[in-house]
C-alpha cells in the first residue's frame, strides 16, 4: 500500500517538469490537479507564468486535462477561458476520473502523466493505474479545505513510515 504513495518524480512546481525528456520517453498527455498544483486553492485564474507553461505543454506536443475533486463552478471558471478540458468532482483516487481523462485525450496508461500535490489522491490514483506520477509541492497550504488538511495528516504518517522503511530517500521539502 505505502509503495503506491511514492511518485515517480518529485519537483517543486509544474515549471520544474522536464517536458522534453518525458515526451522523448513516449508520454503524450498530462492529467493535472488544479488546486495547490497549478494555482492556490483560492486563486480564481491562471497566472501569466502558468499560461505560458500551458503553451509550452501544448508546443511540446502534449494534451492536457485538469482532473479535480472540486466543484464544477471552480474548475470550469478556471479551465474554460484557457480552453482546457476538465473533469470536476472527480472523487480521486478513484480510477474513473483518470480513465475518463485518458479517453478525452485518446491516450493509454503508458502515454499518460499525472501531476498533483497530494499523495493520497493524485499519486495513489495514478500509480494504481500504472501512470507516471509527478508530485509537486502544494502552493498555498493555508487555503486548503478540511478534507485536504485531513489528507495531509495521513500523508505525514505515511511519509514517516516510508522513511523508516528506506522507501522515501529524499527529505520532505518545506515551503
Amino acid at each position: 500500500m505505502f509503495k503506491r504513495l511514492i511518485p515517480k518524480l518529485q519537483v517543486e512546481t509544474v515549471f520544474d517538469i522536464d517536458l522534453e525528456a518525458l515526451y522523448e520517453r513516449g508520454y503524450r498527455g498530462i492529467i493535472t490537479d488544479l488546486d495547490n498544483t497549478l494555482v492556490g486553492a483560492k486563486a480564481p485564474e491562471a497566472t501569466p507564468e502558468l499560461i505560458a507553461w500551458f503553451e509550452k505543454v501544448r508546443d511540446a506536443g502534449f494534451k492536457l486535462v485538469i482532473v479535480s475533486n472540486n466543484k464544477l463552478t471552480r474548475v470550469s471558471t478556471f479551465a474554460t477561458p484557457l480552453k482546457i478540458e476538465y473533469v470536476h468532482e472527480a472523487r480521486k483516487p478513484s480510477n474513473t476520473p483518470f480513465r475518463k481523462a485518458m479517453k478525452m485525450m485518446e491516450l493509454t496508461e503508458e502515454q499518460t502523466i499525472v501531476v498533483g500535490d497530494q499523495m493520497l489522491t493524485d499519486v495513489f490514483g495514478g500509480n494504481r493505474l500504472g501512470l507516471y506520477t509527478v508530485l509537486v509541492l502544494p502552493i498555498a497550504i493555508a487555503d486548503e479545505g478540511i478534507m485536504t488538511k485531513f489528507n495531509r495528516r495521513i500523508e505525514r504518517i505515511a511519509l514517516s513510515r516510508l522513511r523508516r522503511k528506506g522507501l522515501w530517500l529524499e527529505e520532505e521539502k518545506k515551503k
Side-chain angles (χ1 to χ4, degrees), residues 27-168:
Y27 296 103
R28 297 297 181 262
I30 298 173
I31 295 172
T32 183
D33 179 44
L34 172 57
D35 294 323
N36 276 334
T37 297
L38 298 175
V39 293
K42 292 185 178 177
E45 54 193 40
T47 63
E49 183 182 28
L50 185 60
I51 292 169
W53 184 76
F54 288 141
E55 289 175 21
K56 183 178 175 184
V57 166
R58 289 182 181 122
D59 290 347
F62 286 96
K63 296 177 181 179
L64 180 89
V65 175
I66 293 173
V67 174
S68 173
N69 285 347
N70 216 323
K71 297 187 184 318
L72 173 62
T73 19
R74 164 66 175 143
V75 184
S76 66
T77 299
F78 180 89
T80 302
L82 300 167
K83 296 180 175 61
I84 297 174
E85 290 187 289
Y86 58 87
V87 177
H88 66 283
E89 296 180 31
R91 300 183 192 268
K92 292 180 289 181
S94 167
N95 290 342
T96 305
F98 295 104
R99 289 190 196 284
K100 183 175 182 179
M102 286 187 289
K103 187 175 183 181
M104 292 164 79
M105 295 186 290
E106 301 178 337
L107 296 173
T108 64
E109 290 88 349
E110 297 80 21
Q111 298 173 298
T112 307
I113 300 163
V114 174
V115 180
D117 68 301
Q118 290 190 63
M119 294 168 64
L120 293 178
T121 56
D122 308 305
V123 174
F124 180 64
N127 282 345
R128 285 191 331 169
L129 287 173
L131 309 178
Y132 186 89
T133 51
V134 180
L135 182 67
V136 300
L137 292 176
I139 294 171
I141 291 178
D143 293 343
E144 293 179 334
I146 189 91
M147 280 308 297
T148 304
K149 288 179 182 180
F150 177 75
N151 284 348
R152 297 273 184 227
R153 286 184 148 169
I154 295 171
E155 283 181 4
R156 281 194 293 276
I157 294 166
L159 278 171
S160 173
R161 290 197 179 157
L162 287 168
R163 285 187 186 114
R164 266 186 275 151
K165 291 180 179 201
L167 298 172
W168 194 273

Side-chain angles (χ1 to χ4, degrees), residues 17-31:
I17 298 170
D18 188 342
L19 296 170
E20 291 79 19
L22 291 171
Y23 191 87
E24 285 176 17
R25 291 172 54 192
Y27 296 103
R28 297 297 181 262
I30 298 173
I31 295 172

